[in-house]
Amino acid sequence: MTLPELYIIRHGETEWNRAARMQGGLDSALTELGRAQADQVAATLAGVIHPDTHDLWSSPQGRALATAEPISKVTGCPVVAVDGLREIHMGDWVGLSRSEIDAKWPAPSPDEHFIEFYRRAPNAESFPALWDRVGQVLDQIQRPTVIITHGFTSRFLRTRALGLSLDDIGQLDGGQGVIFRIKNGQHEIFEK
């Protein structure tokens, strides 16, 4: 599948990100830094994307919509909420801090990779389910699109858009306040 150019952005920092608390399907407000990150990515995309050439899609979750809003304001692109862009459901870990999780569900080894940490969340959305969900989103894209989503969903989306496999999801960098561009099968950080 050949995709149009994609700009994929994780929402700005939230109160729960700062507190190392699992949000999953829940939400917390953007911090001052998170609002600044949203404004910065909007400024970077100003003059680059336009309503006649680009779509602006967002997870329906509040932290993603709050990040999409300044982009919409400076570009004129209306925000379309897409349910398939919501964050992975964290099951029994939703709302818990990392220290609470570690106390009740200790890591099997001290050097556990963060991908494996997410994989073992009890009663959580499975990796294959998230993989299928982001695939359905990609199948709907018709033209260049800016996507505002979440950390884990972004990794799955970008990995799949690059034609990699589910086993490759740990290979791509993450980050807030970063615009990842996928164009002609290449993955890069976009800066104006």
Side-chain angles (χ1 to χ4, degrees), residues 4-9 45 48-58 68 71-72 75-82 85 137-138 140-148:
E5 181 178 43
L6 303 176
Y7 296 89
I8 301 173
I9 302 161
L45 292 172
V48 175
I49 68 165
H50 308 278
D52 55 338
T53 57
H54 292 77
D55 288 324
L56 174 56
W57 290 4
S58 176
I71 297 169
S72 178
T75 65
C77 295
V79 179
V80 177
V82 177
L85 294 173
V137 170
L138 291 172
Q140 297 171 39
I141 293 175
Q142 299 295 315
R143 64 185 193 150
T145 303
V146 177
I147 295 173
I148 313 301

Side-chain angles (χ1 to χ4, degrees), residues 105-128:
W105 295 275
S109 71
D111 59 343
E112 178 183 44
H113 192 276
F114 78 95
I115 297 292
E116 295 311 312
F117 170 77
Y118 275 78
R119 190 187 308 268
R120 67 182 175 88
N123 299 309
E125 181 176 13
S126 72
F127 281 16

Side-chain angles (χ1 to χ4, degrees), residues 113-116 118-119 127 130-131 152 155-160 164-173:
H113 192 276
F114 78 95
I115 297 292
E116 295 311 312
Y118 275 78
R119 190 187 308 268
F127 281 16
L130 179 56
W131 186 255
F152 225 67
R155 287 178 186 278
F156 275 64
L157 191 68
R158 290 180 288 129
T159 301
R160 185 144 188 179
L164 301 173
S165 77
L166 183 55
D167 294 334
D168 298 318
I169 58 170
Q171 293 183 13
L172 300 179
D173 291 334

